[in-house]
Amino acid sequence: MKHTWRRAVGGALTSLTGLAALLIVALLAVILLDVVRGGAGHITWRFLSEPPSDGMMGGGIFPALYGTAALTLLMTLAVMPVGVLTAVYLHEYAPPGSLLARAVRVAVVNLAGVPSIVFGLFGVGFFIHFVGGNLDRLLGYQELHWGQPGILWASLTLAVLTLPVVIVSTEEALKAVPMDHRTASLALGATQSQTLVRVVLPGALPGILTGAVLAISRGAGEVAPILFTGAAYFLPDLPRAMNSQFMHLGYHSYVLATQSPDVEATRPLLYATVLVLLALTFALNLVAVLIRARTRRRAAAAH
Amino acid sequence: MQGQGLVGMVAVAPKLSSSARRRQLREKVIAGVITAMAFTGIAALVLILVFVAKEALALFLDAEARHEASLSKMFLPQVTRAGRPATFMWQPVSSVPKVSMIPLFIGTLKTTLVSMVVAVPVGVAGALFAAEFAPRRLREVLKPTIELLAGIPSVVLGFFVLMVLASFMQDTFHVSSRLNALVAGLGLSLAIVPVIFTVTEDALTAVPRSYREASLALGATPWETAWKVVLPAAAPGILAACVLGFGRAIGETMIVLMASGNAAIVSASLTDSARTLSATIAAEMGEVVVGSPHYSLLFFLGVELFLFTFILNMVANTWTRRVLKRLSGAGA
């Protein structure tokens, strides 16, 4: 009798935890449904290809799409070499028990926890005022040229923010390359760098790509770090130079949601913009999941 | 890591031809470049602190700033009008700037606590379900789904809270301010549930199978095993998950910026509007005069945020390592 009671209570509590898991999934579904229902009807080719009009009460989001793409492209170019080489150091070059490697790991963990708005402040203090300001002085510009918010500084700020993502996933990828491949290559007389370039990195490529995709999806969605480092409210022109300001999907959503004079009128526009941003990040995440699953299957098959 | 020993053996050759020596030199240069790259992460962390602190330093060095925003004005109650009792007020752009950070601390604490109260039980219970009770198939669906939730940009979560959740709460509870600490906290919990879930799940899966088998063999039910054996074994890891979630909630910006109402008021009520540290930076940085006391103040808020989250991260990191060490030691 006591035993069945224990089982019943246990079962009830177990289902309670299941309910918690269900709640999380349900919340995700509610958010998705709401955004898709509110925005899907408004997404047309014209919406994607035209600039905003009527004081952002109409028109499309092309400059924001373009700005987001350019921003994340620059960010990826900046973060990938540094992130991949750092992971290569950690996994391939660091001597066992290396103090530097341990320090790098601690730094990476902490970097991942720095609030995104602090990255924004860092971008202003370091990139714009320190690097940009000194660059202007050095080049003899009288007016602000580099010492002002621009797409280069915003993307470098995001590169610092996404550095931990790239390092962690690249290291995972390096771990997945079998030790035998390295020993075989070295035994054939290849040097360590030849082994790295011809054997280890190609073997780790899918995992490295996963890291890139995750970094892009994270970087494309972050708004707080670019608020003062380069994103603009509204621009008639696309960014042409590294120091131009740019429009951004996330920032555009924020502006439409909070500063619109008539929220009811902009609602469809707003929902459609958010849907595009959400679809973009989800598509990227999905790609990452797929690459990872394929790599894992192949790794399992190789063993 | 393991490659090092092998290379060491290759490199020790007695007589080297000139081409071999060149090759060796090239290898050394490459290794040097890669090692130098590894400093970037450390450099980034140090530079963040240095450059955010540098802009805040004027508060303590500049005479005008020291007068306008002294430490006592930031943290002690101030008499803002003759004859009125001293209060805490954050109004840095009024004719007499009032720079008390206490309302911002209270706002941050209120939203963060609400989010923790919601996210910790849900996240930990969800992770317990995924790690202990869910069938394999379900678990393989559950984890990527929650990763997907983690992938939603915070501006989208903020948008959802602003447009949907706030209205829903308003219609249900008829509070005076539609955007308030409660709504912002609920929004924040959406952002930190995935963090707590993932870290907790990792800690639970690290518990060796033998613990569970021993418990079940002694006649414990699955629930009793999960509650009395697995959960305590993973406890430091779960605490780490909560600390990490706490740190994220303190630093999260866009959700609180969009959903908290942004009124810096001292009140204990969760249904009053609130202003957090991060949202203050985000909202005021755009219009501030570079180099003014107000500007330095915002960077000082940044330093505080950085230090809070840094300490929380170090604590969480230590606890996570402790649980892994203990369990791998016991499992072997």
Side-chain angles (χ1 to χ4, degrees), chain A residues 98-189:
Chain A
S98 153
L99 202 67
L100 175 60
R102 234 177 329 163
V104 172
R105 287 220 165 78
V106 171
V108 166
V109 166
N110 280 294
L111 207 56
V114 173
S116 53
I117 189 75
V118 176
F119 281 101
L121 292 179
F122 168 67
V124 172
F126 181 69
F127 288 123
I128 297 181
H129 291 161
F130 183 73
V131 181
N134 282 324
L135 212 60
D136 278 351
R137 226 158 296 145
L138 215 67
L139 299 173
Y141 285 114
Q142 292 305 314
E143 75 283 15
L144 289 178
H145 188 79
W146 291 107
Q148 61 176 3
I151 193 165
L152 178 66
W153 303 142
S155 45
L156 289 181
T157 305
L158 282 183
V160 182
L161 183 141
T162 49
L163 190 60
V165 180
V166 176
I167 295 177
V168 169
S169 45
T170 304
E171 213 190 333
E172 288 297 314
L174 293 173
K175 268 184 207 155
V177 177
M179 209 57 219
D180 305 352
H181 293 191
R182 293 185 187 82
T183 28
S185 166
L186 293 169
L188 288 171

Side-chain angles (χ1 to χ4, degrees), chain B residues 130-305:
Chain B
E132 299 297 311
F133 306 122
R136 240 184 85 140
R137 276 280 178 73
L138 186 58
R139 189 178 153 187
E140 274 168 16
V141 180
L142 203 57
K143 279 179 73 170
T145 312
I146 287 165
E147 269 175 44
L148 223 52
L149 184 64
I152 297 182
S154 60
V155 68
V156 175
L157 292 177
F159 158 81
F160 175 75
V161 174
L162 179 70
M163 304 295 279
V164 181
L165 188 65
S167 305
F168 172 77
M169 298 288 286
Q170 171 77 340
D171 294 344
T172 321
F173 299 108
H174 307 287
V175 288
S176 53
S177 31
R178 195 175 88 94
L179 301 177
N180 54 51
L182 181 66
V183 170
L186 289 176
L188 272 183
S189 65
L190 289 173
I192 62 172
V193 153
V195 178
I196 296 178
F197 175 91
T198 315
V199 180
T200 303
E201 217 258 353
D202 283 346
L204 291 173
T205 8
V207 176
R209 273 183 74 91
S210 55
Y211 283 34
R212 298 185 180 85
E213 283 158 4
S215 166
L216 292 172
L218 287 171
T221 61
W223 167 258
E224 285 165 344
T225 303
W227 184 252
K228 294 191 180 151
V229 177
V230 180
L231 215 52
I238 296 167
L239 273 176
C242 299
V243 172
L244 219 56
F246 189 67
R248 290 289 160 82
I250 286 181
E252 174 54 52
T253 307
M254 295 316 287
I255 298 171
V256 284
L257 183 62
M258 294 168 88
S260 67
N262 284 320
I265 39 182
V266 179
S267 101
S269 165
L270 291 179
T271 50
D272 280 338
S273 284
R275 192 179 187 92
T276 69
L277 292 166
S278 55
T280 304
I281 301 174
E284 296 175 12
M285 194 65 199
E287 281 117 48
V288 77
V289 179
V290 174
S292 65
H294 185 195
Y295 175 85
S296 305
L297 260 176
L298 294 180
F299 274 88
F300 190 51
L301 295 181
V303 174
E304 286 165 12
L305 274 180

Side-chain angles (χ1 to χ4, degrees), chain A residues 10-291:
Chain A
L13 291 170
T14 307
S15 5
L16 212 61
T17 62
L19 231 65
L22 187 72
L23 180 68
I24 305 175
V25 178
L27 278 171
L28 180 71
V30 167
I31 297 173
L32 289 187
L33 278 178
D34 181 62
V35 173
V36 170
R37 214 186 44 195
H42 201 74
I43 292 185
T44 55
W45 175 244
R46 281 191 51 196
F47 177 72
L48 295 176
S49 63
E50 277 182 9
S53 56
D54 312 321
M56 302 223 269
M57 305 281 278
I61 52 165
F62 181 67
L65 266 177
Y66 182 91
T68 310
L71 175 79
T72 42
L73 180 70
L74 283 173
M75 173 206 83
T76 313
L77 289 178
V79 74
M80 286 314 285
V82 178
V84 169
L85 286 183
T86 304
V88 164
Y89 169 77
L90 289 177
H91 196 259
E92 308 288 321
Y93 279 83
S98 153
L99 202 67
L100 175 60
R102 234 177 329 163
V104 172
R105 287 220 165 78
V106 171
V108 166
V109 166
N110 280 294
L111 207 56
V114 173
S116 53
I117 189 75
V118 176
F119 281 101
L121 292 179
F122 168 67
V124 172
F126 181 69
F127 288 123
I128 297 181
H129 291 161
F130 183 73
V131 181
N134 282 324
L135 212 60
D136 278 351
R137 226 158 296 145
L138 215 67
L139 299 173
Y141 285 114
Q142 292 305 314
E143 75 283 15
L144 289 178
H145 188 79
W146 291 107
Q148 61 176 3
I151 193 165
L152 178 66
W153 303 142
S155 45
L156 289 181
T157 305
L158 282 183
V160 182
L161 183 141
T162 49
L163 190 60
V165 180
V166 176
I167 295 177
V168 169
S169 45
T170 304
E171 213 190 333
E172 288 297 314
L174 293 173
K175 268 184 207 155
V177 177
M179 209 57 219
D180 305 352
H181 293 191
R182 293 185 187 82
T183 28
S185 166
L186 293 169
L188 288 171
T191 62
Q192 192 176 14
S193 68
Q194 286 167 338
T195 306
L196 178 69
V197 173
R198 307 238 175 102
V199 178
V200 178
L201 287 183
L205 194 62
I208 295 173
L209 284 179
T210 312
V213 172
L214 285 177
I216 294 172
S217 102
R218 175 90 199 278
E222 283 285 352
V223 179
I226 60 165
L227 282 174
F228 335 109
T229 51
Y233 212 78
F234 175 74
L235 289 173
D237 297 316
L238 298 177
R240 292 232 172 78
M242 284 295 189
N243 62 346
S244 324
Q245 293 205 309
F246 58 96
M247 288 183 74
H248 181 268
L249 275 176
Y251 186 55
H252 194 60
S253 314
Y254 165 68
V255 170
L256 285 180
T258 54
Q259 342 245 313
S260 170
D262 184 356
V263 180
E264 285 312 310
T266 35
R267 186 183 286 261
L269 223 67
L270 173 56
Y271 263 101
T273 311
V274 170
L275 177 57
V276 171
L277 177 61
L278 196 60
L280 205 76
T281 50
F282 270 19
L284 288 166
N285 274 316
L286 205 64
V287 169
V289 169
L290 288 180
I291 302 179

Side-chain angles (χ1 to χ4, degrees), chain B residues 279-331:
Chain B
T280 304
I281 301 174
E284 296 175 12
M285 194 65 199
E287 281 117 48
V288 77
V289 179
V290 174
S292 65
H294 185 195
Y295 175 85
S296 305
L297 260 176
L298 294 180
F299 274 88
F300 190 51
L301 295 181
V303 174
E304 286 165 12
L305 274 180
F306 180 93
L307 292 179
F308 284 156
T309 49
F310 185 82
I311 292 167
L312 292 176
N313 262 303
M314 291 302 267
V315 170
N317 195 17
T318 319
W319 285 349
T320 318
R321 255 196 320 224
R322 192 177 299 168
V323 71
L324 286 179
K325 205 183 215 172
R326 196 171 75 185
L327 291 177
S328 60

